[in-house]
Amino acid sequence: MQLEPTPLLDAFRREVRDFIATHAPGIKFHTGVRAPAPRQLPAIRSWTAELYAAGYLGIDWPAEYGGRPDAHPLEPFVVAEEIARARTWPPIGAATLAAAALIDFGTRAQRDRFLPRIRSGEDIWCQLFSEPEAGSDLAALRTRARREGDGDEAVFVVDGQKVWTTNGQHAGMGYLLARTDPDAIRHRGITAFALDMRSPGVEVRPLREITGTTDFNEVFLDSVRIPASQVIGEVGGGWRVAMSSLSRERSGVAARGVELHMHLAELCELAARRGALNDPATRRELGALAARVEVNSAVLALMRSRTTHGTEQPADAPLGKILFSELNHDLTEFGTRVQGSDGLLTEDDPQAEAGGWWQDAFLYARAYTIAGGANEVLRTQIAERGLGMPREPR
């Protein structure tokens, strides 16, 4: 593993940190994917545009669309880390994911149309992958798209339902997967689309979570007509498009390591303030959590090293996601439990520690073990693809 800091990278980190301190749109109280309130959208759009304009986002894009091909490969990780460290808002929506799909598989006309609008913050994108009966098993999706017409007049008519769509209530564009060949087996016959979320037949219904927030949405598609010109990649080649774009979205893992270190430091302060450090069992539990935070950081560093050197392994992303989600759950559970009966207070109570953050984060933590693939499914992927164990019978 070779990730030695360099003077240039250190200078870049200081530059990014100063930029964030000057331009960021305030503190984001909650960590994670939390969707902003409508009143916050203008500031976050502007912040996203400023990050692109300064060259801190879209670093790996083609130069003609604002990228910097000569940049250090770790610069995107540095940006993600510093945004997390400042506790401010990351770029909103799934635009980074959609941009990767457009850059690798989109037509010239699609790139010319959509990439500048992503850079300007004009378009917020959402990811329309998961379905009620095809969450972790994405290849089982049932949303259908049937082709009508030929040539320039051709359209795909889409019917189906998506769920767990983060920022769907704010998005103007959707990165959609739908089945265009119902007779094809599993991964085949799926096509990727750029969907205008304002199209007739698109209905977004926010889902209220246990935390009281509405970050996720159901999206219903009722005879939605998408021009054939908005197919990303080849018809029937959507699985390849999706897997490629998902593999490109790696810088976010860097933010997770920073967040967990901050949570651990705050947890130690909370335990000391509550007098819990006098208990040997509590100290042992904190020590075990601290060790796991360091292991998580080491694994993330290994993943960054492999990314830099082009030696990624199939088990890397699933392993990193499992480590983070389960450790995040255990840290926030400890933070709630160490408060004793005060752990029952909510963020509406003025006596709640950190404004009720620990309780809220604990309730939300379970979602991370499901989002991006349930941990049980990811463990199977690690076994089959990473360790070469026999596959489960279908």
Side-chain angles (χ1 to χ4, degrees):
M1 182 167 63
Q2 301 175 2
L3 284 174
E4 297 87 354
T6 66
L8 283 176
L9 206 56
D10 288 341
F12 179 75
R13 185 180 295 277
R14 290 192 296 271
E15 176 187 315
V16 172
R17 192 172 294 176
D18 291 343
F19 182 87
I20 292 172
T22 304
H23 296 85
I27 298 296
K28 178 187 177 193
F29 178 69
H30 296 293
T31 61
V33 300
R34 302 304 178 82
R39 59 180 172 77
Q40 297 171 304
L41 282 179
I44 296 174
R45 286 181 188 269
S46 177
W47 166 235
T48 299
E50 289 180 286
L51 285 168
Y52 275 111
Y56 299 139
L57 292 181
I59 295 171
D60 58 349
W61 289 19
E64 61 186 305
Y65 296 107
R68 295 187 288 110
D70 59 341
H72 193 289
L74 291 181
E75 285 188 16
F77 295 96
V78 170
V79 174
E81 287 175 346
E82 294 306 315
I83 289 175
R85 186 169 285 114
R87 299 181 185 273
T88 193
W89 289 92
I92 185 174
T96 305
L97 199 68
L102 291 164
I103 289 169
D104 290 342
F105 297 94
T107 65
R108 179 59 184 255
Q110 288 172 342
R111 292 194 294 269
D112 289 347
R113 175 184 176 187
F114 294 120
L115 294 182
R117 294 172 64 88
I118 290 174
R119 294 186 64 87
S120 67
E122 189 172 355
D123 279 346
I124 295 174
W125 285 68
C126 63
Q127 180 183 341
L128 297 167
F129 285 15
S130 294
E131 298 185 6
E133 297 184 22
S136 298
D137 186 11
L138 182 58
L141 66 84
R142 296 182 179 182
T143 294
R144 301 290 180 89
R146 67 180 189 278
R147 187 181 183 115
E148 288 187 358
D150 296 305
D152 294 340
E153 301 300 318
V155 299
F156 284 85
V157 182
V158 183
D159 291 279
Q161 179 187 353
K162 299 293 180 175
V163 75
W164 313 128
T165 305
T166 307
N167 289 305
Q169 70 272 50
H170 304 312
M173 294 297 303
Y175 176 19
L176 169 71
L177 292 184
R179 190 169 294 282
T180 46
D181 185 353
D183 298 321
I185 58 172
R186 293 191 51 86
H187 306 89
R188 301 175 185 174
I190 296 173
T191 301
F193 297 89
L195 167 66
D196 187 333
M197 295 292 287
R198 294 150 295 202
S199 301
V202 177
E203 182 183 1
V204 179
R205 299 180 190 172
L207 293 168
R208 188 171 181 84
E209 296 116 37
I210 194 173
T211 56
T213 53
T214 52
D215 306 326
F216 305 118
N217 303 267
E218 296 177 292
V219 178
F220 295 87
L221 306 163
D222 183 8
S223 297
V224 177
R225 301 175 72 82
I226 304 177
S229 60
Q230 290 181 205
V231 170
I232 303 174
E234 297 179 356
V235 174
W239 184 261
R240 181 171 172 236
V241 175
M243 294 304 103
S244 175
S245 59
L246 288 168
S247 70
R248 289 270 299 270
E249 180 55 22
R250 296 169 295 210
S251 61
V253 300
R256 297 173 182 173
V258 169
E259 289 173 0
L260 292 181
H261 272 285
M262 292 192 300
H263 296 346
L264 177 64
E266 292 162 351
L267 187 57
C268 291
E269 294 173 2
L270 173 62
R273 192 162 57 249
R274 287 276 167 172
L277 294 182
N278 297 324
D279 176 29
T282 298
R283 293 198 300 272
R284 283 195 299 271
E285 190 170 357
L286 267 175
L289 288 170
R292 290 172 61 191
V293 169
E294 292 303 324
V295 168
N296 181 75
S297 293
V299 170
L300 293 179
L302 176 60
M303 291 171 62
R304 291 199 299 274
S305 177
R306 286 176 172 169
T307 297
T308 303
H309 297 92
T311 58
E312 298 98 325
Q313 302 294 317
D316 285 351
L319 178 60
K321 190 264 182 177
I322 290 172
L323 287 175
F324 164 77
S325 61
E326 297 186 351
L327 179 51
N328 177 69
H329 174 274
D330 293 348
L331 284 167
T332 54
E333 188 273 337
F334 185 97
T336 302
R337 175 161 44 89
V338 79
Q339 298 177 49
S341 59
D342 286 349
L344 298 174
L345 301 177
T346 68
E347 57 195 58
D348 296 326
D349 195 307
Q351 302 302 314
E353 287 275 1
W357 184 88
W358 290 102
Q359 293 87 318
D360 185 86
F362 170 56
L363 291 174
Y364 202 86
R366 185 65 66 184
Y368 286 113
T369 68
I370 302 169
N375 286 1
E376 293 80 4
V377 173
L378 296 183
R379 283 186 167 86
T380 299
Q381 290 182 8
I382 292 171
E384 295 178 350
R385 302 177 192 174
L387 302 178
M389 297 178 68
R391 291 182 177 271
E392 284 189 66
R394 295 295 182 186

